[in-house]
Amino acid sequence: MTIQYYLQSRYVEGGRVWPDLDCWGLVRLASADLFGRAPLPLYGASMPGDFRTITRAVSDVSGLLNMHPCQPRQGAIATAWMGSLCVHVGLCVEIDGCLRILETDAPTGPCHTD
């Protein structure tokens, strides 16, 4: 799989199976495919907009993978916070020698951002 593969997916709320992915579905599959990691948990109950459940899921994954805050680097899971709630996730990837965040959301769909 390549980054381009994930850019061809479509945003679907609660999507966990390609090509229908939400932000967690994209991070879950892309981190396994692009970086050879074991698949992350599904967290099907973590729906967009349900920030408390998303925050609990991120906390669970952080403990499971022994994750900790770090500088941006390829393969890191990027999280966006509003106060103490996680509101969005993406995956750090290298494109043309620069780090970008591979992500998806409504209404833009899959993209890579600075």
Side-chain angles (χ1 to χ4, degrees):
M1 303 300 163
T2 65
I3 293 168
Q4 188 62 35
Y5 176 79
Y6 286 98
L7 292 173
Q8 294 172 19
S9 66
R10 62 181 165 254
Y11 179 84
V12 173
E13 191 171 295
R16 297 293 188 268
V17 179
W18 196 92
D20 300 331
L21 302 173
D22 66 6
C23 65
W24 179 250
L26 185 142
V27 166
R28 180 179 177 275
L29 294 178
S31 68
D33 290 340
L34 300 176
F35 300 105
R37 296 185 180 135
L40 297 169
L42 281 173
Y43 291 113
S46 299
M47 297 297 287
D50 183 1
F51 302 136
R52 290 191 195 324
T53 303
I54 293 168
T55 301
R56 279 193 297 275
V58 167
S59 178
D60 289 349
V61 168
S62 294
L64 179 69
L65 300 178
N66 194 27
M67 290 174 25
H68 54 278
C70 66
Q71 293 297 312
R73 66 174 184 247
Q74 184 160 258
I77 296 174
T79 56
W81 296 80
M82 184 171 29
S84 62
L85 297 174
C86 182
V87 298
H88 188 56
V89 295
L91 186 65
C92 290
V93 295
E94 188 176 311
I95 299 173
D96 297 329
C98 297
L99 282 179
R100 303 277 189 244
I101 305 298
L102 179 62
E103 61 172 318
T104 191
D105 65 4
T108 60
C111 64
H112 53 82
T113 58
D114 294 338

